[in-house]
Structures are given as structure tokens and as C-alpha cells.
Amino acid sequence: TLFAVRELPITTILEAEEIPYKRIGQEAVTVCPWHNDSNPSLTINDEKNLCFCFVCRGGSDSIDFVQQKLGYLSLKQLSALLISITLS
């Protein structure tokens, strides 16, 4: 299950959680979960399934992103999130 969440594109997680983002070419940008961000500074690369903030230098994969944005989740909660995202 953990590996399935890691394979989920970060933009799919954003869509499922109704977090706005903007496409810029092959990447996307949104507000950073690691600092108080009023201008989108978190760049998401779906091909590599990684994100990086050019302001605070924070970065992660999809699991770290979920934990930063939604709080630390148990494996059971991550499984429920994965099921809800894949069914929507």
C-alpha cells in the first residue's frame, strides 16, 4: 500500500483533496505545505513524482507530501486515501 501511494502522482493527490494548482508546461505549481506561502512556490514534476519549493528548499515524494499537507497518517489512513483517490 505504501508503494501504491508513492506511485500516485502528486497532482492526483492535489485534485483528490481539491487543492488548487496551475500547470506550467510539464510541471505544476501550488502553495508550499512547509512554510506560510501566499504565492505558489512548490513545483511538482509528475514524471519524476517529486516536488521542490524554491523558497524554503523543501522537497519530497508523494508520501512526504501527503504527510506534510494532510498530517501524518497511519498505514490504514494512507490505504483509505489511496482507495478514495483511485475510485474518484
Side-chain angles (χ1 to χ4, degrees):
T1 303
L2 205 54
F3 296 109
V5 173
R6 181 166 275 133
E7 295 299 316
L8 226 95
I10 295 172
T11 52
T12 301
I13 296 167
L14 293 175
E15 290 167 3
E17 294 299 314
E18 299 179 359
I19 299 169
Y21 68 92
K22 181 179 177 183
R23 281 259 173 226
I24 300 177
Q26 295 213 2
E27 295 183 333
V29 294
T30 189
V31 293
C32 179
W34 293 288
H35 66 93
N36 189 6
D37 198 6
S38 57
N39 293 320
S41 61
L42 186 74
T43 300
I44 301 161
N45 183 315
D46 273 339
E47 186 176 307
K48 296 178 183 176
N49 206 23
L50 297 172
C51 60
F52 180 77
C53 178
F54 288 94
V55 174
C56 73
R57 317 296 287 168
S60 70
D61 63 9
S62 53
I63 292 175
D64 289 336
F65 181 82
V66 166
Q67 291 179 331
Q68 287 293 326
K69 197 70 178 169
L70 305 177
Y72 287 92
L73 304 175
S74 68
L75 186 55
K76 184 177 181 179
Q77 290 169 314
L78 280 172
S79 298
L81 175 67
L82 175 63
I83 290 167
S84 70
I85 289 173
T86 55
L87 291 178
S88 51

